[in-house]
Amino acid sequence: MRKIGNNIFMLTLVLRSIIIFCIVLVAVRLMGKRQIGDMQPFELVVTLIIADLACIPMSDVSIPIVFGIVPLLTLVVLHHFFTWANRKSVLVRKILNGKPVIVIDEKGINYEALKSLNMTINDLTEGLRVANCFDLSTVAYAIVETNGNISVLLKSGASPVTNDDMKVDVDESVLNVVLINDGKIIDENLKTFNLDKTFIDNVLSKQKVKNLKDVLIFTINSLGQGFFQEKNKQCQSFQVEVKNK
């Protein structure tokens, strides 16, 4: 009898899991085809809650399955209501999603904007690389969208397409490395060009910076093109001598 009871229990779990899976699948399909990285904040919250709710009626047979289905369907309806409200009201859109924030402009990196978004320089440079931008000096504007993605507008002379189209000879692509990140020297990146802290001291001296902590970012490439910015000050680009390996 116990074996039969266990088999029935296992069969019940399987059937409940299949039902909940089908309902969650339908719910996610109804929510649209956004990827996780493209979701607005309220969409991500709804998705996470749905995932959590789905686990409870799957494993706990003492809970009537309808008690798991009703919250799931309620969240789907709530999602559609928020989506409708987003389309109809700018105010609701700002409350639910926030608004895009410019983190790089004609003055360089907006440090206060980064702090308001709880972003670090590492987050910013990683987002730029994902956007296929490896050189800060080529960025005219960078905007953190409401879904967390970074949109980049390159400076007019930085388009990689026109060089080939116009058959203009250009230098080989070079990789920029970060030497100073939010007041901290990246020692391993100094070794890339056989540099040492004396080089950093000379650059700081030329830029009339007394405290390393005041430096927001300093990058350099193999051509010796440097990008330098202090916190809450305008960025600067300049040429320095480097020794490649």
Side-chain angles (χ1 to χ4, degrees):
M1 292 293 294
R2 178 177 295 180
K3 185 175 181 180
I4 295 175
N6 289 338
N7 290 338
I8 293 175
F9 179 76
M10 291 299 296
L11 181 60
T12 302
L13 283 178
V14 171
L15 291 176
R16 289 167 70 96
S17 298
I18 292 174
I19 293 172
I20 294 298
F21 170 79
C22 292
I23 292 174
V24 172
L25 180 60
V26 172
V28 172
R29 293 285 286 114
L30 290 174
M31 288 172 60
K33 294 188 176 181
R34 289 181 188 263
Q35 297 179 358
I36 292 296
D38 295 328
M39 287 184 175
Q40 298 294 343
F42 80 90
E43 293 175 318
L44 182 58
V45 170
V46 170
T47 303
L48 292 175
I49 295 176
I50 285 178
D52 193 44
L53 284 174
C55 296
I56 299 174
M58 277 186 182
S59 57
D60 192 346
V61 295
S62 65
I63 300 175
I65 193 169
V66 69
F67 288 1
I69 295 175
V70 171
L72 291 175
L73 296 180
T74 301
L75 286 175
V76 173
V77 173
L78 190 64
H79 171 269
H80 281 281
F81 170 76
F82 282 144
T83 302
W84 172 83
N86 256 344
R87 290 197 301 265
K88 296 296 182 179
S89 172
V90 175
L91 178 60
V92 171
R93 194 179 309 141
K94 288 182 178 179
I95 293 173
L96 292 178
N97 304 331
K99 60 181 181 179
V101 177
I102 298 175
V103 291
I104 297 180
D105 54 23
E106 68 277 0
K107 294 182 179 179
I109 298 172
N110 189 327
Y111 186 62
E112 295 301 320
L114 282 183
K115 288 201 299 183
S116 70
L117 294 170
N118 288 324
M119 288 182 65
T120 65
I121 292 296
N122 284 338
D123 296 329
L124 177 61
T125 53
E126 180 179 344
L128 292 175
R129 290 194 296 271
V130 170
N132 202 28
C133 178
F134 290 79
D135 188 350
L136 279 169
S137 64
T138 65
V139 178
Y141 289 92
I143 302 172
V144 177
E145 307 293 354
T146 56
N147 59 13
N149 291 334
I150 298 180
S151 300
V152 179
L153 175 65
L154 297 177
K155 293 179 180 178
S156 57
S159 174
V161 177
T162 55
N163 291 326
D164 289 337
D165 290 343
M166 299 299 293
K167 301 187 183 302
V168 176
D169 293 332
V170 294
D171 294 329
E172 291 295 326
S173 298
V174 292
L175 178 66
N176 281 260
V177 297
V178 179
L179 300 184
I180 301 178
N181 182 341
D182 202 1
K184 297 180 179 61
I185 298 175
I186 312 300
D187 292 322
E188 59 187 45
N189 288 350
L190 283 174
K191 298 176 183 178
T192 302
F193 299 130
N194 290 331
L195 301 175
D196 54 26
K197 293 184 179 180
T198 302
F199 171 81
I200 296 293
D201 292 336
N202 292 335
V203 171
L204 295 181
S205 176
K206 290 181 180 179
Q207 298 300 319
K208 299 180 180 179
V209 177
K210 296 181 180 180
N211 195 333
L212 178 65
K213 293 182 178 180
D214 293 333
V215 181
L216 180 60
I217 190 170
F218 174 37
T219 71
I220 200 171
N221 62 28
S222 57
L223 300 179
Q225 297 166 343
F227 178 91
F228 185 93
Q229 184 175 350
E230 295 179 68
K231 295 177 181 178
N232 301 317
K233 291 189 178 182
Q234 189 164 339
C235 63
Q236 300 180 54
S237 296
F238 50 84
Q239 187 75 28
V240 295
E241 291 185 6
V242 296
K243 298 179 181 179
N244 298 324
K245 288 186 177 181

